[in-house]
Amino acid sequence: MTPTESRAAFSLAGIFSLRMLGLFMIYPVFTFYAEHLAGSTPTTVGLALGAYGLTQALLQIPFGFASDRIGRKRMIAIGLLIFAGGSVVAALSTTIYGVIFGRILQGAGAVGSTILALNADLTREESRTKAMATIGLTIGLAFALALVAGPVINAWAGVPGIFWFTAVLAILGIGVLYLVTPTPANIRSHRDTQAVPELFGRVLADRELLRLDFAIFALHAILTASFIALPSMLRTVLGIHQDWQWVVYLPTLAVSVAIMVPAIIVAESKRQMKPVFVASVAVLCIAPGILAFYRDSLVEILVLLTLFFAAFNIMEASLPSLISKVAPADAKGTAMGIYSSSQFFGIFVGGTVGGWAYGQFGTGGVFGFAALVGLIWLVIAAGMPKPRFARSHMVNVGAISDHEARRLAAEIEAVEGVFEAVVVPADQVAYIKFDGRVVEPDVLNRFAPSHSTPAPA
C-alpha cells in the first residue's frame, strides 16, 4: 500500500475498533450492574445487552446509501455522534429501560458499512484486500481487549464509567476521522464493499450465501446469550468477583488464539476449510451443551471456555473469507452487507432470547439455548459443499463501452484459473474470481489500460 493508503487503512481501523471496543466492554459486567436498575428482569437485561444489534442490522445499509449522497465523513461523524449520545443516555440512566434506549441509540450510529466504503474510496483496487484485512484484524483485537478491559474499568468507575468511556472513544474517533484520515478526491459506489439494491434478489436467492448468513447469525446469538450466564457462573460457581474475571478471560483468549492460527492455516493452505468449519461449529454446540448440565470444575470450565473462544475466533476469521469465495464476483459488497446485518440481528436475538431463558430456566437454560442454536447450525453446516478456493481481484479498466466490457470479460474468463469475470462499465472495474494456485494477480493486471501503473480507485 502507498503511504496514503496505509494512513487511510490504519486510521479507519482505529475508528472501527474504538467503536467496537466500547460496545463489547459491557459484556462481562453488565448483568451484575443491571441487577440494581429499576425495572430489571432477566428478559429486559438480555434485551439491553442485545438491543444495539437490532438498530445496527436495520440501519447500516441505509447509512451506506446515504453516504453516497451527502459524503462519507459526514455520515461517519453523524453516526459516531449518535453512538456517543446513546452512550451518555445509558450512562445517566437509572432504569433498565433507559439503558435499553441508550443501547438502541448506540446501534443507530451504524457506520460500519460507511467506514468500509470510505476505505474503498481511498485505496486502489489491488490494495483494498490488505486494507480490509487491517480493519478486520483490529476488530478481533478490540473484542479480546474489551473482555479484559471491561472488568478493569468496572472496578474503577462502574458500568456508567464504561458508557462514559465509550462516549469519549466515539468523540476521539471523530477526531481521527478529520485529523488523520485522508479525504477522498471523489466518492463513488464500490461493488466489492457496498450493497447494490439491484443485486439483493440475486444474493438472497443464493443458498450457500444464506447458509453463511445463518452462520454469522448463530455465532453472535450464541456469544451474546452466553455472556448473560457466563459472568454469573464464574461468580457463583467459582467464586470469582466480577472485577477479577479478566484473569479468566485473558489466558483463555490467549490460548484460543494459539489454537486458531494453525487451524486457519490448515483450512486455507491445505484447503481443509469444511472440516475445520464443521469441527468449530461442533465445539460451539458441545461446549455450551456441557455447561448447561455440568459446571462445577474450574479446569473443565477453563478448557471449555478456551475451546469455545478458539472456535469463535476461527469462525470470525473464516466466515468473511467464505463470503468472498462464494459471492458472485460483482456482488461481494451486497453479500457482505446482508451478512453483517445477519450478524447484528443475531446479537439482538441472542440477548433477548438468552435473557428470557435465564429468567425461566437459569444458567442452564441460557447455555441450553446456545447449544440448541449450535445444533441447528451444525446440521446446516454439515450439508455445505466443499468451498471453492477462489480469490477476488479487481482491475481498473478505465472508460469502456458495454460491448467492450462483454468482450473483455470473455477474454479474462479465457485465462486458465479464472472462475468468473464481470466488467461493470459504470464502475470502470473488472471483478474477477480466480484460483490463486493457477494464476497470479499480476497476470490479471495486464487487462488494465496501463498495468504498469494501475489507476487509483
Side-chain angles (χ1 to χ4, degrees):
M1 292 190 290
T2 67
T4 299
E5 289 172 334
S6 296
R7 185 155 60 97
F10 283 104
S11 63
L12 291 173
I15 295 169
F16 215 126
S17 59
L18 286 174
R19 180 170 160 273
M20 298 308 293
L21 179 65
L23 286 171
F24 282 127
M25 277 195 297
I26 71 163
Y27 270 44
V29 295
F30 183 71
T31 53
F32 303 121
Y33 170 72
E35 293 172 355
H36 308 291
L37 293 173
S40 175
T41 67
T43 301
T44 55
V45 170
L47 179 59
L49 199 62
Y52 86 92
L54 180 61
T55 40
Q56 279 278 329
L58 294 175
L59 295 177
Q60 66 157 344
I61 291 178
F63 252 75
F65 290 155
S67 75
D68 289 337
R69 290 180 171 271
I70 70 172
R72 311 281 193 228
K73 286 192 172 183
R74 184 175 298 173
M75 282 306 299
I76 293 172
I78 290 171
L80 290 174
L81 284 173
I82 294 172
F83 179 78
S87 301
V88 171
V89 169
L92 294 174
S93 295
T94 57
T95 71
I96 191 67
Y97 300 105
V99 174
I100 291 171
F101 179 63
R103 293 283 282 172
I104 289 172
L105 280 178
Q106 282 186 319
V111 298
S113 61
T114 309
I115 290 174
L116 298 182
L118 179 56
N119 176 67
D121 289 333
L122 293 167
T123 54
R124 296 165 298 160
E125 284 84 359
E126 61 269 26
S127 300
R128 199 163 298 152
T129 300
K130 295 177 183 178
M132 292 287 290
T134 300
I135 294 174
L137 177 63
T138 58
I139 294 172
L141 293 174
F143 171 72
L145 179 59
L147 295 190
V148 176
V152 173
I153 297 176
N154 181 66
W156 169 57
V159 170
I162 294 177
F163 283 126
W164 281 113
F165 183 58
T166 300
V168 171
L169 290 178
I171 300 304
L172 287 176
I174 296 175
V176 172
L177 179 68
Y178 283 102
L179 298 177
V180 181
T181 306
T183 299
N186 55 70
I187 294 175
R188 61 186 179 88
S189 179
H190 305 272
R191 291 178 180 234
D192 60 313
T193 58
Q194 290 179 265
V196 179
E198 57 263 31
L199 295 177
F200 280 141
R202 182 180 171 195
V203 169
L204 289 171
D206 190 308
R207 183 175 179 178
E208 295 312 312
L209 287 175
L210 290 177
R211 196 192 302 268
L212 297 175
D213 292 336
F214 180 81
I216 195 63
F217 165 87
L219 180 66
H220 281 269
I222 291 170
L223 178 74
T224 307
S226 296
F227 270 98
I228 293 172
L230 179 58
S232 177
M233 181 189 72
L234 293 178
R235 182 178 67 175
T236 57
V237 176
L238 302 182
I240 303 174
H241 191 271
Q242 57 262 35
D243 295 343
W244 288 95
Q245 290 185 4
W246 65 268
V247 301
V248 173
Y249 298 128
L250 183 59
T252 54
L253 284 167
V255 176
S256 72
V257 171
I259 296 172
M260 175 198 73
V261 173
I264 293 296
I265 291 173
V266 169
E268 292 287 354
S269 65
K270 303 297 182 182
R271 303 205 168 187
Q272 296 297 314
M273 179 61 77
K274 182 176 179 179
V276 171
F277 186 97
V278 174
S280 298
V281 177
V283 170
L284 291 166
C285 172
I286 294 170
I290 295 174
L291 290 174
F293 298 101
Y294 179 74
R295 46 188 177 274
D296 297 327
S297 164
L298 173 61
V299 174
E300 170 228 348
I301 290 174
L302 290 178
V303 170
L304 288 174
L305 283 182
T306 301
L307 293 175
F308 177 89
F309 285 130
F312 175 83
N313 289 331
I314 290 168
M315 288 291 99
E316 279 285 276
S318 300
L319 284 169
S321 174
L322 284 169
I323 288 283
S324 180
K325 291 176 172 64
V326 172
D330 60 332
K332 179 182 172 183
T334 305
M336 285 300 300
I338 295 171
Y339 164 90
S340 296
S341 294
S342 301
Q343 170 186 335
F344 289 116
F345 189 60
I347 291 171
F348 170 70
V349 171
T352 305
V353 179
W356 172 84
Y358 188 77
Q360 296 294 316
F361 308 106
T363 300
V366 178
F367 287 124
F369 164 69
L372 177 61
V373 174
L375 180 61
I376 296 170
W377 183 11
L378 183 59
V379 172
I380 293 173
M384 70 182 287
K386 185 177 180 179
R388 182 176 64 179
F389 278 78
R391 293 176 58 187
S392 298
H393 188 65
M394 291 173 290
V395 176
N396 194 320
V397 298
I400 191 171
S401 69
D402 289 342
H403 173 73
E404 291 171 325
R406 289 190 294 270
R407 179 194 57 77
L408 182 59
E411 187 179 345
I412 297 172
E413 286 186 341
V415 175
E416 183 181 4
V418 172
F419 299 126
E420 182 185 6
V422 178
V423 180
V424 182
D427 297 356
Q428 299 185 11
V429 171
Y431 300 92
I432 307 168
K433 303 195 79 171
F434 67 101
D435 188 333
R437 290 188 175 180
V438 178
V439 59
E440 291 291 333
D442 286 345
V443 174
L444 303 175
N445 286 338
R446 68 183 174 85
F447 291 101
S450 176
H451 64 269
S452 59
T453 56

